[in-house]
Every structure is written in C-alpha cells, then in structure tokens.
Amino acid sequence: MFTQQHLTKVVEVAKLAGDAIMQVYSDTDLQVTQKQDDSPVTAADIASHNVIVNALAQQFAGIKIMSEEAADIPWSERKEWQTYWLIDPLDGTKEFIKRNGEFTVNIALVHQGRAMVGVVYAPVLYKCYSAIVGQGAWLEYQGQQQQLDISQQTVSPVPVVVGSRSHISPGLEEFLKDVGEHQMQSVGSSLKFCMVAEGIADVYPRLGLTSEWDTAAAQAVVEGAGGQVVRYPELTSLDYNQKENILNPYFIAASPAWFAR
C-alpha cells in the first residue's frame, strides 16, 4: 500500500534530482553528446539519474529500477518484475539544451503493468505534480498545494490541444481535422500531460513514438486527477513492461468528457 508519506519521499527525491540538474543548467559551457539512437544526453541527465537511483535504492530497498540512462536490462529478467521504478531523470533534454525551462524529472512506480504512482517535477517552473492513482493528484507551486480533479471537467467550446514543441508527428494533422476548430499549444516534456491534469488543456494526442519512461509518471498524474491515458485509436489502457520493446504506441491523454463528446 503506497501512502502519502511514501509519496512525500519520492517528491523529495525528485527535487534533489532537480537541484542536480540546475547546477548543470547554470553552466555556460554545456557539453552535449549523442547516444546510439542520436538523442542528446548531458551531464545533467547523468547527475539526475545518479541522485534518483541512489535515493530510491536507499529509501525503497528491494524495488527494481529502470531508468532511461540504464535501460539495458534483459527482457528475460525484466518481464518477471511485478513492481518497479520507471524513471526519466531529465525528460525534455532538447528543451534543457535550449534553456527554455520546459523539462522535468519523471519518477513512476509501475505495478503489474500500470503506472500507479507518479511525480513530475519542473525545477525551472517550481512546479511539482504528484499522484497516487485511486487516491488523487496534486500540484505544489509557490509553497501552496492544490488537488487536481478533471473528472467532471467539460470540454472547452474551442478545445485546447497541447502538443510537442520538439516532435511534430504526421498523424497529428489528421487528428486535428477531426477535432475541428481548436487552439493549439506547444510545450516540451511531460508538461503536456500535466496541462491536461490541471485542466489547462483538453487533450494531448501523441501520434508519434515515445518510450515508456517518457510517459509513466505523467500518466499517473493524469489518471490520479481523474483523466484517462489510452492507446489511439484503440482507446485501451496504455500499460508498461508488457513487451520487450519499450516504445509506446500512439496515445491520447484527456478528461473523461473528451472521450464522451
């Protein structure tokens, strides 16, 4: 049973990782290297990874950990995991490099294929989103904490669609045609999910490739707030650790009202 006290510990870990990231963020001589898949990585990614892995191992001994920066875990081993931490130490590395502040620390606890706990921390924005699915979701900002609840939210007359700042997918154009008149907003990292969880955006369609660590923590935040994250076009649950490939299918995050429209 995951409690509020447990969640507070994970939030503290995310903030420590954010502090490590910000030390690199202020460095005027930022070094960027490319991984094998051509995605960028910086010292901030590694520093955040080390902080999170060490802290989680100490505070939640025995729970397996999978991180974007340490993902080479054999499927034969990983498929046996019932519960594990799934982390993206620095989601939005391209936004970090651009220094636009739209990057996050993502920490999720996955249990039996579902993202059940999530913390998304945006250190530049001083926003920390956290959730336990079935118990609620919260936003901490400027010393205040508010509960997030979009379960009864209605769809805006002109729907607000949020999309990626760095990844434009071909399928999005067709999706937007079906939506009709809308307002498009672009933002980096898992903040797109968080805009849905806050009720700022009506829908986040991701019709392009992502990895499981990109989405798990923020999916928990949306679902903790009463929203839904589902595969598109199947509209079935977006789950985790169910296959060797860690790439997600296309998906949509939205309030229940969006799916009922």
Side-chain angles (χ1 to χ4, degrees), residues 88 142 151 159 200 254:
D88 189 341
Q142 293 184 336
S151 61
I200 298 171

Side-chain angles (χ1 to χ4, degrees), residues 74-114:
W75 170 238
S76 58
E77 175 186 341
R78 182 166 53 86
K79 68 180 180 181
E80 302 299 329
W81 293 359
Q82 291 296 301
T83 306
Y84 69 103
W85 295 107
L86 181 57
I87 64 177
D88 189 341
L90 176 48
D91 183 30
T93 301
K94 291 182 179 179
E95 316 310 326
F96 175 86
I97 294 167
K98 295 174 187 173
R99 287 185 164 85
N100 64 16
E102 295 176 357
F103 55 86
T104 58
V105 175
N106 298 347
I107 305 176
L109 185 66
V110 176
H111 178 64
Q112 295 182 346
R114 291 195 62 202

Side-chain angles (χ1 to χ4, degrees), residues 119-166:
V119 173
V120 177
Y121 178 50
V124 173
L125 306 179
Y126 302 105
K127 285 188 170 185
C128 188
Y129 302 83
S130 60
I132 305 174
V133 176
Q135 295 186 38
W138 300 270
L139 167 60
E140 180 189 331
Y141 179 58
Q142 293 184 336
Q144 301 294 317
Q145 181 165 284
Q146 67 177 96
Q147 185 156 8
L148 304 176
D149 185 357
I150 57 172
S151 61
Q152 304 301 316
Q153 178 178 305
T154 58
V155 178
S156 307
V158 179
V160 177
V161 182
V162 65
S164 175
R165 190 178 295 286
S166 297

Side-chain angles (χ1 to χ4, degrees), residues 41-84:
V41 63
T42 70
D45 297 77
I46 305 305
S48 177
H49 165 85
N50 290 335
V51 167
I52 296 170
V53 169
N54 291 336
L56 291 179
Q58 182 177 10
Q59 298 200 39
F60 299 92
I63 300 180
K64 303 292 187 180
I65 302 174
M66 183 176 186
S67 166
E68 178 180 7
E69 305 310 328
D72 54 344
I73 301 165
W75 170 238
S76 58
E77 175 186 341
R78 182 166 53 86
K79 68 180 180 181
E80 302 299 329
W81 293 359
Q82 291 296 301
T83 306
Y84 69 103

